[in-house]
Amino acid sequence: MSITIIVEGKNDRSRLRRLLRPEVDILCTFGTLSTLKLEALRNTIRDGEVYLYMDNDSSGKKIRGVLRDAFPDAVHMYTRKGYAGVEGTPDEYNITQLEKAGLEEYIIYPEPYSPVYEG
């Protein structure tokens, strides 16, 4: 079964793309949802699993509301208030949200930081 995360913009997609394996599709609304765009999303996703990850602002809440109606079985992921949207959310927090959504097997975990000692 296919897995699709819907985000608002291309910067949100870029932020998540580096954390997820390529088999996870990340689609953008580009901040608006027309009837045609909604139908295109439905046709692309078909019966796959859908995850919604919108910014925690009025625009993101509006888009989430429309998508909630279009994809009633979607899993909702939330960024924290105070972050500058999904694109401004630290990777660690995005990873936590992906894990809460049950997507652990698709996450590309960053290498742990280890300082190089040049003595």
Side-chain angles (χ1 to χ4, degrees):
M1 178 173 287
S2 66
I3 294 174
T4 303
I5 299 175
I6 302 175
V7 296
E8 289 180 72
K10 63 182 181 180
N11 293 334
D12 299 334
R13 179 176 53 201
S14 295
R15 186 75 181 208
L16 291 181
R17 180 78 283 152
R18 66 180 187 215
L19 298 175
L20 290 164
R21 293 184 14 206
E23 57 263 33
V24 176
D25 291 326
I26 304 172
L27 303 178
C28 299
T29 66
F30 297 107
T32 60
L33 276 176
S34 65
T35 305
L36 287 174
K37 193 178 288 184
L38 202 51
E39 272 308 306
L41 285 171
R42 279 193 191 115
N43 289 334
T44 300
I45 295 167
R46 300 193 186 272
D47 61 350
E49 292 181 38
V50 178
Y51 297 79
L52 305 178
Y53 199 15
M54 310 292 128
D55 295 349
N56 196 359
D57 59 12
S58 60
S59 174
K61 290 175 184 175
K62 182 178 176 183
I63 292 169
R64 183 185 297 277
V66 172
L67 291 171
R68 180 184 298 122
D69 292 341
F71 301 100
D73 296 330
V75 174
H76 293 262
M77 298 171 17
Y78 297 90
T79 189
R80 184 179 290 164
K81 281 188 178 183
Y83 290 147
V86 174
E87 71 180 89
T89 299
D91 287 345
E92 299 78 25
Y93 191 84
N94 280 329
I95 288 171
T96 300
Q97 293 308 301
L98 293 165
E99 289 172 340
K100 282 183 183 178
L103 296 171
E104 299 93 337
E105 67 183 283
Y106 301 102
I107 298 171
I108 300 169
Y109 290 93
E111 293 292 322
Y113 173 75
S114 59
V116 176
Y117 178 73
E118 295 182 27

